[in-house]
Amino acid sequence: MESRVENDKALIFIVDDVAKNLQVLGTILKRQNYKIAFATNGKQALENINNISPDLILLDVMMPELDGFEVCKRLKADEKTKDIPVIFLTAKTEIEDVVNGFELGAVDYVTKPFNATELLARVKTHVELKRSREKLQELVATKDMFFSIIAHDLRSPFATISAFISLISKYFGKIPKEEIDELLESLKETSDSTRELLDNLLQWSRSQTGTIQFSPEMVAVGEMIKTNLGLLTETAENKKISLKPRLDFTGEIKIDKDMIDLVIRNLVINALKFTPSGGEITVATQKTDGTVEISVNDTGVGIAPEMIPKLFSVADKISTVGTAGEKGSGLGLILCKEFVEKHSGKLVVESRVGEGSSFRIQLPANGS
Ligand SMILES: Nc1ncnc2c1ncn2[C@@H]1O[C@H](COP(=O)(O)OP(=O)(O)OP(=O)(O)O)[C@@H](O)[C@H]1O
Ligand SMILES: [Mg+2]
């Protein structure tokens, strides 16, 4: 039923009961590298729409049983399909009906016999409109999330910081120096973690709004991992966790170094957070055909299967405290996934509660 062309072009769903029309439209659209899916009646269209999830529907008006108007009405009444633009396919004589049909939510019409230039222009316009609408919705969602994170997650540490300062100024000189030192230490921890949260938040919003530059260069993977592990040795030693590299691949790969540095550090910091003292963390690399994999494996607390999909969702923003009470914002993995995907890579998670977790960064082995 469906034939896809390997590119970023939109998927057009053509619904028409006349095979000849499907063929003509299919040929015109395929020549422009659109992906195509077909249905030959309204019922079939409605049954398949959710599996196909097209960018645009070309919908014949005159079809037996369910006609195009009825199909359009049902698509527009369903939350899942209501935003997909519908263009009616119609004979010249039906134009008046079709204009009335706009009330049902269609965005345009094309008359038969098809004029390729006209058809392509309309398809292009409406696909572009749909995509910019989605982009805008995404930006608005990001902005909303941004504000809600600021409201929830920054207010409380600032309240804590302010309370510590009040305590210190009230008791300074009146209580032993060690107690003041302890208060100062807590003050520093809170302000450090708040700054980390802000950094993550800014990185994330920059990547969402497309203002982060993606600058891939050839980078030696082995060196990069050793440097990152070096930065975290002290934390590992303090928590009595063994942190070891196991590098089967140490060669070069084309990546944006800042982004992958951040991903590796975030994953190792997580492993350190969620592994109790005495545990073990291994950072491994390997190369199989076409893919370089960097994995961070721990013997920590693990993650329940139902939690795994939620780790990467901005709406859920899952965060639990570490085995030594370490706090976080729940943004780390969301950023990691985004940065890995910017490289056309994948971030894969495997975990067993009580046994440990494995986070695997799979990158195309460009140039290595
Ligand atoms: N290696 C791991 N072992 C067990 N649980 C993990 C591991 N890595 C992540 N998690 C779980 O996933 C949650 C989300 O991780 P994420 O890195 O996104 O946020 P965080 O570490 O809580 O905060 P942040 O990284 O923003 O400071 C964690 O709070 C924890 O519940
Ligand atoms: Mg984290």
Side-chain angles (χ1 to χ4, degrees), residues 266 269-270 273-274 332-333:
N266 260 302
I269 291 172
N270 277 351
K273 255 206 270 198
F274 299 104
L333 286 176

mmCIF file of all heavy atoms in Angstrom, residues 266 269-270 273-274 332-333, ligand 2:
data_model
loop_
_atom_site.group_PDB
_atom_site.id
_atom_site.type_symbol
_atom_site.label_atom_id
_atom_site.label_comp_id
_atom_site.label_asym_id
_atom_site.label_seq_id
_atom_site.Cartn_x
_atom_site.Cartn_y
_atom_site.Cartn_z
ATOM 1 N N ASN A 266 27.310 13.689 31.389
ATOM 2 C CA ASN A 266 26.007 13.524 32.019
ATOM 3 C C ASN A 266 25.727 12.064 32.352
ATOM 4 O O ASN A 266 25.207 11.749 33.420
ATOM 5 C CB ASN A 266 24.904 14.040 31.081
ATOM 6 C CG ASN A 266 24.433 15.432 31.462
ATOM 7 O OD1 ASN A 266 23.981 15.649 32.576
ATOM 8 N ND2 ASN A 266 24.557 16.371 30.549
ATOM 9 N N ILE A 269 28.041 10.979 35.237
ATOM 10 C CA ILE A 269 27.569 11.591 36.490
ATOM 11 C C ILE A 269 26.323 10.857 36.991
ATOM 12 O O ILE A 269 26.187 10.556 38.178
ATOM 13 C CB ILE A 269 27.295 13.111 36.305
ATOM 14 C CG1 ILE A 269 28.620 13.850 36.097
ATOM 15 C CG2 ILE A 269 26.548 13.681 37.507
ATOM 16 C CD1 ILE A 269 28.464 15.318 35.717
ATOM 17 N N ASN A 270 25.418 10.525 36.079
ATOM 18 C CA ASN A 270 24.238 9.742 36.476
ATOM 19 C C ASN A 270 24.654 8.405 37.077
ATOM 20 O O ASN A 270 24.157 8.006 38.130
ATOM 21 C CB ASN A 270 23.344 9.453 35.268
ATOM 22 C CG ASN A 270 22.412 10.608 34.955
ATOM 23 O OD1 ASN A 270 22.303 11.554 35.728
ATOM 24 N ND2 ASN A 270 21.754 10.534 33.818
ATOM 25 N N LYS A 273 25.858 8.866 40.404
ATOM 26 C CA LYS A 273 24.794 9.236 41.332
ATOM 27 C C LYS A 273 23.987 8.033 41.765
ATOM 28 O O LYS A 273 23.588 7.921 42.919
ATOM 29 C CB LYS A 273 23.817 10.175 40.598
ATOM 30 C CG LYS A 273 23.925 11.629 40.982
ATOM 31 C CD LYS A 273 22.626 12.344 40.757
ATOM 32 C CE LYS A 273 22.507 12.931 39.381
ATOM 33 N NZ LYS A 273 21.457 13.964 39.288
ATOM 34 N N PHE A 274 23.716 7.142 40.793
ATOM 35 C CA PHE A 274 22.777 6.063 41.069
ATOM 36 C C PHE A 274 23.455 4.712 41.330
ATOM 37 O O PHE A 274 22.866 3.675 41.181
ATOM 38 C CB PHE A 274 21.739 5.976 39.942
ATOM 39 C CG PHE A 274 20.954 7.255 39.829
ATOM 40 C CD1 PHE A 274 21.205 8.172 38.806
ATOM 41 C CD2 PHE A 274 19.993 7.575 40.788
ATOM 42 C CE1 PHE A 274 20.500 9.365 38.728
ATOM 43 C CE2 PHE A 274 19.286 8.763 40.722
ATOM 44 C CZ PHE A 274 19.532 9.663 39.695
ATOM 45 N N GLY A 332 19.022 16.216 32.351
ATOM 46 C CA GLY A 332 20.257 15.672 31.787
ATOM 47 C C GLY A 332 20.026 14.738 30.612
ATOM 48 O O GLY A 332 20.581 14.933 29.529
ATOM 49 N N LEU A 333 19.180 13.716 30.801
ATOM 50 C CA LEU A 333 18.994 12.712 29.746
ATOM 51 C C LEU A 333 18.262 13.281 28.542
ATOM 52 O O LEU A 333 18.488 12.856 27.413
ATOM 53 C CB LEU A 333 18.230 11.504 30.301
ATOM 54 C CG LEU A 333 19.030 10.595 31.221
ATOM 55 C CD1 LEU A 333 18.140 9.484 31.774
ATOM 56 C CD2 LEU A 333 20.214 9.988 30.462
HETATM 57 MG MG MG B 2 21.638 13.498 35.245
#
